[in-house]
């Protein structure tokens, strides 16, 4: 999208100008989340990969998760990761 705009080719006193429009591709999942089964009291890491870098939001049901001692969120380029510490049965 940053490449959109008017481009001009000049040769001496003559020029030709064209407008370039770039349509953004949608963000898709390249690698989706996988189901996990873990023991109470341990930690788990959930991760997914997108087709291009974009902000993500983590939820459990309809509740948006916030970073805390329990929930750690990381994102590096196209890979997003959620680490849940000290798992309880209620975290399922």
């Amino acid at each position: 999208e940053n490449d959109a705009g008017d481009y001009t080719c000049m040769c001496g006193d003559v020029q030709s100008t064209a407008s370039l429009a770039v349509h953004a591709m949608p963000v898709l999942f390249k690698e989706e989340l996988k189901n996990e089964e873990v023991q109470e009291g341990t930690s788990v890491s959930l991760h997914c990969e997108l087709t291009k870098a974009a902000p993500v939001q983590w939820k459990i049901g309809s509740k948006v998760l916030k970073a805390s001692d329990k929930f750690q969120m990381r994102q590096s380029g196209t890979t997003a990761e959620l680490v849940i510490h000290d798992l309880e049965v209620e975290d399922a």
Side-chain angles (χ1 to χ4, degrees), residues 24-70:
M25 296 292 295
V27 177
L28 302 171
F29 285 102
K30 194 172 183 180
E31 182 183 332
E32 296 195 11
L33 293 172
K34 293 184 173 71
N35 294 337
E36 299 281 348
E37 288 189 29
V38 294
Q39 294 294 318
E40 185 176 16
T42 63
S43 295
V44 67
S45 173
L46 304 174
H47 69 276
C48 59
E49 187 175 355
L50 306 168
T51 53
K52 67 180 187 179
V56 300
Q57 184 179 66
W58 290 95
K59 293 181 172 187
I60 180 166
S62 61
K63 178 185 173 190
V64 176
L65 300 177
K66 304 274 188 220
S68 64
D69 290 340
K70 184 166 189 74

Side-chain angles (χ1 to χ4, degrees), residues 8-25:
T8 302
C9 178
M10 296 185 67
C11 182
D13 293 338
V14 294
Q15 69 182 32
S16 177
T17 301
S19 182
L20 174 66
V22 179
H23 301 285
M25 296 292 295

